[in-house]
């Protein structure tokens, strides 16, 4: 009422405003929209920075769980999908949510999942593979599963780990000799690939370490010979089925001693110094020296031969100083130099 005349409503009198028409605030729909957008942006920022245990999104009023806020919430924390209002759960939202965070698909009812969702989820969340329909488990899908992390080979059945899929898995780590990435060799069922990895990574990672990580079923004669040529300790890891005149035959006690020594590669904590003399056999001594050249000073004199010296030099070229000067021939000097240059 701006006419100046009091209004009488029931038993109440409403007096006119003291403001003129010009002084009254103007209501604009655009202002309300702007405030809504500002609040929505604040909510998006809040859910993107929140810790899962704080459940910021879950505690928002339903009217503030907009499509944009909900999408950011599930992008940040897949389990928040449980709190998305039904009004937001349209087909296009489901697809976009899975593309933003593949783990979201684990919260979507299987009846509502599409092939497109599975493909999107696989790229971002490979563990979804175990829930996939068999029709989608193609070689292309398998390559996608392992493309960014080769260790996801363990999700695939052995028959699906083809040579091509294994190569893609290996390419996921530019440097296989770092950060224990070489351990994925455990999931590679192809002897030729494992042999190649052993030949190329063995000098840096250690042949014993690689052979120990392999599936025993892939170890054949070629792998066995390559392994023991790099480190005689590997003889203790060979399956009984591997028979070759070039492979030393060892007793069960020697196998146990070699494994104990190779498993603790530093002389300060090694089993070798404490072994009784009768168990410091030639093959056990070579394994000890291959593990740490410092063991050379503890090897019984009757076993100090060329093979023993070469094993020490291949482990540490500085061990040349531990070798009797009379035994240092040109071949041993060249071996020490070659190993030194290769380091």
């Amino acid at each position: 009422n701006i006419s100046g005349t009091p209004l009488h409503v029931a038993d109440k009198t409403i007096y006119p405003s003291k403001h003129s028409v010009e002084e009254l605030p103007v209501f604009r729909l655009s202002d309300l929209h702007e405030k809504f957008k500002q609040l929505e942006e604040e909510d998006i920022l809040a859910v993107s920075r929140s810790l899962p245990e704080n459940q910021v999104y879950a505690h928002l009023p339903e009217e503030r769980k907009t499509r944009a806020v909900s999408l950011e919430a599930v992008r940040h924390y897949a389990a928040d999908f449980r709190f998305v209002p039904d009004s937001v759960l349209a087909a296009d939202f489901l697809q976009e949510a899975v593309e933003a965070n593949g783990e979201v698909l684990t919260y979507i009812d299987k009846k509502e999942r599409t092939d497109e969702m599975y493909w999107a989820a696989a790229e971002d969340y490979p563990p979804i593979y175990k829930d996939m329909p068999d029709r989608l488990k193609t070689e292309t899908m398998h390559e996608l599963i392992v493309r960014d992390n080769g260790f996801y080979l363990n999700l695939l059945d052995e028959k699906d780990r083809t040579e091509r899929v294994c190569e893609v898995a290996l390419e996921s780590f530019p440097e296989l000799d770092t950060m224990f990435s070489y351990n994925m060799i455990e999931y590679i069922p192809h002897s030729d690939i494992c042999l190649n990895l052993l030949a190329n990574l063995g000098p840096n990672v250690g042949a014993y370490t690689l052979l120990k990580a392999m599936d025993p079923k892939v170890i054949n004669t070629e792998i066995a010979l390559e392994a023991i040529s790099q480190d005689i300790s590997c003889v203790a890891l060979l399956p009984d089925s591997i028979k070759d005149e070039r492979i030393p035959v060892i007793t069960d006690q020697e196998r146990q001693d070699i494994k104990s020594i190779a498993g603790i590669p530093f002389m300060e904590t090694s089993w070798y110094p404490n072994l009784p003399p009768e168990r410091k056999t030639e093959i056990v001594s070579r394994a000890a020296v291959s593990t740490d050249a410092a063991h050379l000073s503890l090897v019984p004199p009757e076993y100090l031969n060329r093979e023993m010296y070469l094993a020490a030099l291949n482990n540490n070229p500085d061990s040349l100083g531990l070798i009797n000067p009379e035994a240092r021939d040109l071949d041993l000097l060249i071996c020490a130099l070659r190993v030194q240059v290769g380091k």
Side-chain angles (χ1 to χ4, degrees), residues 49-246:
R49 292 180 174 179
S50 68
L51 296 175
E53 57 268 26
N54 293 338
Q55 293 193 313
V56 171
Y57 177 78
H59 293 141
L60 282 178
E62 291 295 291
E63 66 272 13
R64 285 168 58 185
K65 292 178 180 178
T66 63
R67 188 183 194 282
V69 173
S70 299
L71 186 60
E72 183 58 34
V74 299
R75 185 199 313 277
H76 182 64
Y77 181 44
D80 273 343
F81 183 83
R82 298 169 297 171
F83 309 111
V84 177
D86 291 341
S87 59
V88 176
L89 295 176
D92 61 333
F93 175 84
L94 297 182
Q95 179 67 32
E96 194 169 349
V98 172
E99 291 173 359
N101 184 346
E103 189 180 357
V104 168
L105 190 56
T106 63
Y107 295 95
I108 297 177
D109 190 287
K110 290 186 178 181
K111 296 178 181 178
E112 297 183 50
R113 299 178 187 179
T114 64
D115 289 359
E116 289 75 16
M117 289 181 189
Y118 277 113
W119 279 97
E123 189 166 3
D124 181 67
Y125 185 69
I128 197 64
Y129 179 81
K130 63 182 182 295
D131 291 335
M132 280 186 186
D134 289 341
R135 69 176 183 278
L136 296 179
K137 294 180 177 180
T138 63
E139 185 162 51
T140 303
M141 176 62 78
H142 298 153
E143 290 180 20
L144 180 61
I145 292 293
V146 303
R147 186 183 64 190
D148 294 326
N149 187 337
F151 280 99
Y152 283 124
L153 277 172
N154 69 343
L155 296 175
L156 310 182
D157 291 337
E158 185 174 313
K159 64 180 178 59
D160 295 322
R161 300 175 202 164
T162 64
E163 289 196 5
R164 174 57 190 159
V165 170
C166 289
E167 288 168 359
V168 172
L170 291 169
E171 289 169 1
S172 69
F173 291 97
E175 297 181 5
L176 287 169
D177 58 349
T178 59
M179 296 181 66
F180 301 102
S181 55
Y182 53 81
N183 279 320
M184 79 171 74
I185 199 172
E186 173 186 355
Y187 307 115
I188 297 177
H190 304 285
S191 297
D192 53 344
I193 294 179
C194 291
L195 177 61
N196 185 55
L197 289 171
L198 178 63
N200 287 284
L201 299 180
N204 292 327
V205 172
Y208 187 90
T209 298
L210 283 175
L211 196 67
K212 188 176 181 180
M214 283 185 202
D215 183 341
K217 292 185 295 185
V218 306
I219 300 176
N220 56 21
T221 302
E222 289 74 18
I223 289 176
L225 292 173
E226 175 63 32
I228 64 174
S229 72
Q230 294 185 34
D231 184 352
I232 195 62
S233 301
C234 292
V235 71
L237 299 175
L238 300 181
D240 293 336
S241 58
I242 304 295
K243 307 291 184 183
D244 191 279
E245 61 183 10
R246 293 164 291 180

Side-chain angles (χ1 to χ4, degrees), residues 305-314 317 319-320 323-339:
N305 51 36
R306 173 174 295 279
E307 287 74 20
M308 195 69 67
Y309 294 145
L310 288 173
L313 292 173
N314 278 310
S319 63
L320 187 65
I323 298 175
N324 189 321
E326 296 179 358
R328 298 178 197 167
D329 60 19
L330 183 59
D331 288 341
L332 293 181
L333 293 174
I334 291 174
C335 176
L337 181 61
R338 174 180 55 78
V339 175

Side-chain angles (χ1 to χ4, degrees), residues 263-334:
I264 306 175
F266 303 106
M267 195 177 79
E268 292 79 2
T269 53
S270 172
W271 286 59
Y272 184 76
N274 300 318
L275 288 179
E278 66 273 13
R279 285 167 59 184
K280 290 182 179 177
T281 64
E282 182 174 6
I283 191 74
V284 171
S285 297
R286 279 181 60 192
V289 168
S290 295
T291 302
D292 186 342
H295 286 117
L296 188 62
S297 61
L298 303 177
V299 173
E302 61 268 29
Y303 300 138
L304 291 176
N305 51 36
R306 173 174 295 279
E307 287 74 20
M308 195 69 67
Y309 294 145
L310 288 173
L313 292 173
N314 278 310
N315 175 263
N316 185 351
D318 294 337
S319 63
L320 187 65
L322 299 175
I323 298 175
N324 189 321
E326 296 179 358
R328 298 178 197 167
D329 60 19
L330 183 59
D331 288 341
L332 293 181
L333 293 174
I334 291 174

Side-chain angles (χ1 to χ4, degrees), residues 6-22:
L7 296 178
H8 301 283
V9 180
D11 59 344
K12 295 182 181 179
T13 301
I14 301 176
Y15 293 92
S17 170
K18 296 180 180 179
H19 298 283
S20 65
V21 175
E22 290 77 11

